[in-house]
Amino acid sequence: MSAQQSASLSESQLQTLFYDNYADLCRYALTFLGSTQEAEDIVQQIFLKFWEDHQQKSLPSNCRAYLFKTVYSRSLNALKHRSVQRKHAEYHVHHYWGSQSESTSESQLQTKELESALSKALGEMSETTRQTFILSRFHGLSHKEIAETLSFSLKNVEYHLHKALQILKIQLS
């Protein structure tokens, strides 16, 4: 698709672009993220943004290169965000359980084990699931507030919280 074609993107052009590149873009994102779900989420968000932005703006001369560059940037941002979230979650876990458990060495050992298991479980969650869980459990946001914050539907928030609790149940059992 070249810039000489229409100045805006038609629905059929977007479908063609999507079907021709979706799998390759997902595999590319997966190499950075290590999570199929997270890679698919990012690629879908990119196509949605691409559709919104290019309905009125002119198209880049090489749409495929533009999409790959965007996947690269978003993947790196997701990795940075994942690191910040992990540190944030570890701080809250340590702060909460650190103040809850007082003196005994046994309770301190249990707390450290629990923190480690929770940190590991958080690390195994996709970015979206982890973010939803942290907003719910550590920030105390309601499902509706999380949906508004992340621009999700309530069902999507419920799905990611359920998924997070399943992972935690397995990791903490």
Side-chain angles (χ1 to χ4, degrees):
M1 196 172 300
S2 71
Q4 296 164 348
Q5 291 177 336
S6 66
S8 65
L9 191 62
S10 72
E11 192 172 334
S12 64
Q13 288 172 315
L14 179 68
Q15 284 179 342
T16 301
L17 194 61
F18 180 83
Y19 289 123
D20 289 349
N21 295 290
Y22 181 78
D24 292 338
L25 292 168
C26 286
R27 278 191 296 275
Y28 185 58
L30 183 62
T31 63
F32 296 104
L33 302 169
S35 163
T36 303
Q37 180 64 43
E38 196 173 1
E40 289 175 354
D41 287 346
I42 283 179
V43 173
Q44 288 171 6
Q45 290 169 3
I46 287 169
F47 272 104
L48 179 63
K49 182 79 170 141
F50 187 80
W51 170 253
E52 291 169 353
D53 286 350
H54 293 91
Q55 281 186 314
Q56 285 137 7
K57 298 178 187 176
S58 63
L59 295 172
S61 59
N62 186 342
C63 290
R64 185 171 166 85
Y66 172 84
L67 290 169
F68 272 91
K69 182 65 177 171
T70 306
V71 167
Y72 174 79
S73 297
R74 291 265 181 107
S75 296
L76 291 183
N77 287 343
L79 291 174
K80 289 176 191 172
H81 188 67
R82 185 187 295 176
S83 174
V84 168
Q85 279 187 319
R86 205 173 277 136
K87 288 177 185 174
H88 185 72
E90 288 171 1
Y91 168 78
H92 281 291
V93 168
H94 179 70
H95 179 72
Y96 176 76
W97 277 302
S99 64
Q100 296 292 321
S101 63
E102 294 276 292
S103 58
T104 68
S105 62
E106 184 177 322
S107 67
Q108 289 175 348
L109 179 61
Q110 288 175 342
T111 300
K112 289 210 181 277
E113 289 174 357
L114 187 56
E115 287 174 1
S116 176
L118 182 60
S119 179
K120 181 180 177 189
L122 287 171
E124 291 185 8
M125 294 178 191
S126 72
E127 180 71 21
T128 307
T129 301
R130 181 176 33 259
Q131 188 176 18
T132 305
F133 177 78
I134 288 171
L135 289 173
S136 173
R137 299 300 193 244
F138 295 121
H139 295 286
L141 297 181
S142 69
H143 291 196
K144 183 178 179 183
E145 291 170 324
I146 295 169
E148 290 170 1
T149 301
L150 300 177
S151 301
F152 286 165
S153 68
L154 283 175
K155 288 287 186 191
N156 202 358
V157 170
E158 291 169 5
Y159 165 78
H160 285 290
L161 286 175
H162 177 73
K163 190 173 169 183
L165 293 175
Q166 284 180 325
I167 292 169
L168 287 171
K169 183 178 178 181
I170 291 168
Q171 289 296 322
L172 299 178
S173 62

